[in-house]
Amino acid sequence: MSATAFYGYLALPVHERPPYVVRTREGKVVVPDVEIRRGSLRLVPIDPADPRPVYQQLADSLRARILSGKLPPGSLLPSESEFIHEYGISRGPVRQAVAQLKAEGLVDVRQGRGVFVRRRPTRYRLSADRFLHARRHAERTPFPADLATGGTPRLEVRRHAIVEAPPEIADRLKLREDTRVLARGFRLFADDEPVQVADFYYPYDLVKGTRVEDPASEPWPGGTIAQLESLGVEVTEIAEDVAARAPRPEDVRDLRLGAGTPVFEVVRTMFAGERPVATSSIIIAGDRYVLSYRIPLQ
């Protein structure tokens, strides 16, 4: 291929370029690298023979580079115009690809600045051993134990009131719906980033006239189990149901969630023998926690 023909080839949109080979003086056949290099980003040309839509090819290519670290957190993606010029595609597929990556929580779109690879938050481990006897008697709530790998804990008391048990809470605590309960609500922070929102409920007959009923007692050293033990109630079993779901508007607000970030919803009930003595609903930012459980078989 002559120089003129070669530059004419490069002038074609990528999807219109036919495959070609170069024969060297020694007779070797070389298939050129058909990827385009722009800075640190190598863009795979759109393949018209690929059954995937154009936007999906672009999204898959970018996702692979983000997850592999070739596009590290904070990287600025090429502009729409650059994608259009390099790929020879229209604006629509570019926007669809970016929208998909945003929905997956991989990029942030900043108005007037561009599209950036989202920074990955620190992930903490939430494990069942937080309830071990040695930990629940420490002079702190169990939450700091979750952040053993790093992070400065902070707890915000949002609610402490005597209310009628909502139907779901009454069912968990085996109470009539009009029975009163002590409702306690918290938001938990790590390094000033909210990571959990938790609501706890006790049957009011357990706490009436005790320090637990006093809002000034919050946060209670040792957490819920230690609080119940101060009432002479020994927790013998804990049941948890964990589900992943899309966040609700209040979850997005309270946990400052980015687009595409799911949440874990943990429903926890504590028992003293057969009696449920406390129950809680905990919403956890899905990108900031690993739920870890060890299950002894003997």
Side-chain angles (χ1 to χ4, degrees):
M1 179 183 292
S2 68
T4 301
F6 181 74
Y7 286 114
Y9 173 90
L10 293 180
L12 291 171
V14 172
H15 67 280
E16 295 181 8
R17 297 177 188 172
Y20 73 95
V21 298
V22 175
R23 188 176 299 277
T24 68
R25 291 181 180 178
E26 293 78 18
K28 296 179 181 178
V29 174
V30 179
V31 179
D33 184 351
V34 296
E35 291 188 343
I36 305 164
R37 184 182 297 274
R38 285 189 61 81
S40 62
L41 177 62
R42 292 174 64 82
L43 305 177
V44 177
I46 300 301
D47 181 359
D50 193 315
R52 293 174 298 167
V54 170
Y55 85 88
Q56 192 67 63
Q57 292 186 53
L58 179 55
D60 291 348
S61 177
L62 290 169
R63 184 190 305 105
R65 282 155 177 74
I66 291 170
L67 296 179
S68 69
K70 292 179 180 177
L71 277 173
S75 298
L76 174 64
L77 297 191
S79 66
E80 285 186 1
S81 297
E82 289 175 313
F83 275 125
I84 291 167
H85 173 73
E86 296 295 350
Y87 278 82
I89 58 178
S90 64
R91 194 174 303 275
V94 176
R95 292 184 174 178
Q96 284 180 285
V98 169
Q100 179 165 326
L101 296 176
K102 179 181 176 182
E104 294 174 11
L106 295 175
V107 300
D108 289 316
V109 179
R110 301 175 191 172
Q111 197 65 34
R113 297 185 59 192
V115 181
F116 294 81
V117 177
R118 180 175 293 177
R119 298 188 182 278
R120 298 169 192 169
T122 301
R123 303 189 83 180
Y124 305 104
R125 188 172 298 276
L126 184 66
S127 61
D129 64 2
R130 70 204 303 270
F131 297 114
L132 289 175
H133 187 272
R135 277 186 174 169
R136 71 178 187 246
H137 285 285
E139 290 302 310
R140 59 179 185 172
T141 62
F143 175 56
D146 302 337
L147 309 184
T149 56
T152 301
R154 178 166 65 87
L155 186 147
E156 173 187 276
V157 179
R158 310 178 78 195
R159 185 187 191 196
H160 194 287
I162 308 301
V163 300
E164 288 189 359
E168 182 182 358
I169 301 304
D171 182 61
R172 288 192 226 161
L173 293 175
K174 298 182 181 178
L175 303 172
R176 297 193 314 271
E177 288 189 16
D178 60 349
T179 303
R180 293 193 296 172
V181 293
L182 171 62
R184 305 156 62 233
F186 306 93
R187 183 162 56 159
L188 289 72
F189 293 77
D191 291 335
D192 290 324
E193 282 295 319
V195 293
Q196 295 183 34
V197 173
D199 291 293
F200 296 81
Y201 301 89
Y202 294 150
Y204 183 54
D205 68 307
L206 284 181
V207 304
K208 184 177 180 180
T210 70
R211 279 187 57 216
V212 176
E213 188 181 7
D214 183 1
S217 66
E218 301 290 1
W220 191 283
T224 301
I225 293 180
Q227 198 170 44
L228 287 166
E229 287 179 340
S230 77
L231 303 173
V233 177
E234 181 182 357
V235 175
T236 57
E237 185 179 7
I238 299 173
E240 282 192 354
D241 292 322
V242 181
R245 63 168 173 79
R248 296 169 185 151
E250 61 270 23
D251 302 328
V252 173
R253 179 190 67 240
D254 292 342
L255 294 173
R256 302 174 193 163
L257 300 175
T261 303
V263 296
F264 294 115
E265 183 170 19
V266 180
V267 173
R268 177 183 299 150
T269 303
M270 297 181 176
F271 294 83
E274 294 298 317
R275 182 186 180 184
V277 292
T279 192
S280 55
S281 297
I282 305 166
I283 307 301
I284 301 172
D287 61 342
R288 299 168 209 167
Y289 268 90
V290 173
L291 305 187
S292 176
Y293 298 92
R294 295 183 63 179
I295 304 174
L297 300 182
Q298 292 183 346

